[in-house]
Amino acid sequence: MGRLTAWLVSRFRAWERPAKIGMALALALLALALLVLVFGPPSIRQPALIGTFGLLVAAQAIFMWANRGLVTPFTQAQRAYLAEDFEAARETLERLEQAGKADVRALTLLGNTYRQLGDLEKSEQVLTKALSLRPSDPFPLYGFGRTLLIRGSYAEAVEAINRALMSGAPPVVYLDLGEALFRQGRVEETQAALRVYRQQAAGEPHRVLMADYLLYQLGAEPPPSRERLQAGLPFWQENARRFRHTPYGQSLAEDVRQMQALIEEA
C-alpha cells in the first residue's frame, strides 16, 4: 500500500499543471458531495448521489488523460514487435534484461524477437531462461517450439508445441504442430492436428492457407483457392526470405514456389 501511494504521489507531481488543478478540484468537490450524501437532508441526497457519480467519472478521465504518456517498456516493445520493428523491440527488451527487470513475459517476447531477427541461438537461450522460471507457461513453450521448428529440429519442436498445448496454449497452435509434424513426414498425425486447428481456431489468411496447402500436399484435399493463395502467400514469402539460412527456411522456400505455381495454374 505504501509503495502504491508513493507511486501515485510521484505520478501526480509529474502531471501538467491543468491536470493537477482539475484533479484537486474534482477531489475537493467529491469530498463535499460525500459529506452531503452522508449528513445532508434527505431532499438533497439524490442530487448529491448523482453529483458523486459524475465527479468519480471526471476524476477517472483526468487521471487517464494525465497519464496518457505512461507506457511501460514491455508495452513499448510489444507495440514495436506488432509493428514488425524488431530492432526497436530488441533494444527495449535487452535493456530490461540487463537491468534484471525482465519477467517471463518480457523474456518470451525477447526470445520471439530474436527469432524474427534470425538469431536462433539467442532466441533459444532466452526462451530456455523463461522456461526455467516458469516451466509450464504455454507462451514461452510455444515460442521455444517455433524456434526449434525454424531451426529444423522438428522432433524437439513437436515435443515443445505439444507441451504448450497441454499447458493451455490456444487452438491456433495446432497449425504449428501440424507444420512440425509435416516436416517430419508424419502424415496421419499432421492431418489430425490440422483438422483440430480447422475445427477450433479462426485463423489469419496466411495460417488458413498453410493448413489448406499442407492438406493438399498430403492428398487429403484439393489445392487452395486462388484467393487464399494471394491473401496468404506474402507472409510465407517473407518467412522463407527471413529464415533462408535454416533447413526450415529452405523447405519453406520450396513450398512458396509450389504455391506460386498454383496461382499461375488457377
Side-chain angles (χ1 to χ4, degrees), residues 7-237:
W7 181 84
L8 288 171
V9 170
S10 68
R11 290 306 310 164
F12 182 79
R13 288 173 178 168
W15 287 3
E16 299 168 4
R17 182 176 175 82
K20 290 181 180 179
I21 294 171
M23 181 59 79
L25 183 60
L27 291 177
L29 291 173
L30 181 60
L32 180 60
L34 288 171
L35 286 171
V36 172
L37 188 63
V38 174
F39 300 109
S43 60
I44 63 171
R45 286 182 184 174
Q46 183 67 26
L49 180 62
I50 295 172
T52 299
F53 177 77
L55 287 165
L56 284 170
V57 172
Q60 184 180 33
I62 293 168
F63 183 85
M64 292 176 66
W65 182 81
N67 288 295
R68 63 194 183 281
L70 181 61
V71 179
T72 66
F74 176 79
T75 301
Q76 290 176 345
Q78 195 173 46
R79 290 177 180 176
Y81 183 93
L82 292 173
E84 298 191 4
D85 188 353
F86 301 120
E87 287 290 351
R90 177 185 61 78
E91 290 173 7
T92 301
L93 292 165
E94 281 183 342
R95 286 196 296 270
L96 271 180
E97 186 185 25
Q98 290 162 7
K101 296 180 180 179
D103 59 10
V104 171
R105 289 191 313 158
L107 290 170
T108 300
L109 187 57
L110 179 57
N112 291 340
T113 301
Y114 280 136
R115 182 179 64 249
Q116 295 297 87
L117 290 169
D119 194 337
L120 301 182
E121 183 177 350
K122 281 189 177 179
S123 176
E124 188 173 343
Q125 289 173 355
V126 173
L127 288 166
T128 299
K129 182 178 178 180
L131 287 170
S132 71
L133 298 174
R134 200 178 296 165
S136 298
D137 191 310
F139 296 104
L141 277 169
Y142 170 59
F144 187 57
R146 282 294 302 172
T147 296
L148 292 170
L149 170 63
I150 289 167
R151 197 181 70 181
S153 302
Y154 301 128
E156 293 88 343
V158 168
E159 181 182 353
I161 295 171
N162 263 323
R163 285 175 58 201
L165 285 164
M166 288 187 290
S167 297
V172 70
V173 175
Y174 275 100
L175 175 65
D176 303 271
L177 176 62
E179 191 180 1
L181 290 164
F182 176 82
R183 306 291 172 194
Q184 281 190 283
R186 294 161 65 174
V187 175
E188 292 183 3
E189 292 168 277
T190 300
Q191 291 188 25
L194 294 176
R195 296 201 188 284
V196 173
Y197 163 74
R198 283 255 191 93
Q199 292 166 4
Q200 298 188 19
E204 300 163 282
H206 64 274
R207 299 181 73 86
V208 172
L209 170 59
M210 182 56 74
D212 288 356
Y213 171 77
L214 294 180
L215 288 168
Y216 162 68
Q217 286 294 310
L218 296 175
E221 291 192 1
S225 68
R226 183 184 182 88
E227 291 74 18
R228 285 194 174 177
L229 286 161
Q230 290 176 329
L233 184 56
F235 176 89
W236 299 112
Q237 288 172 322

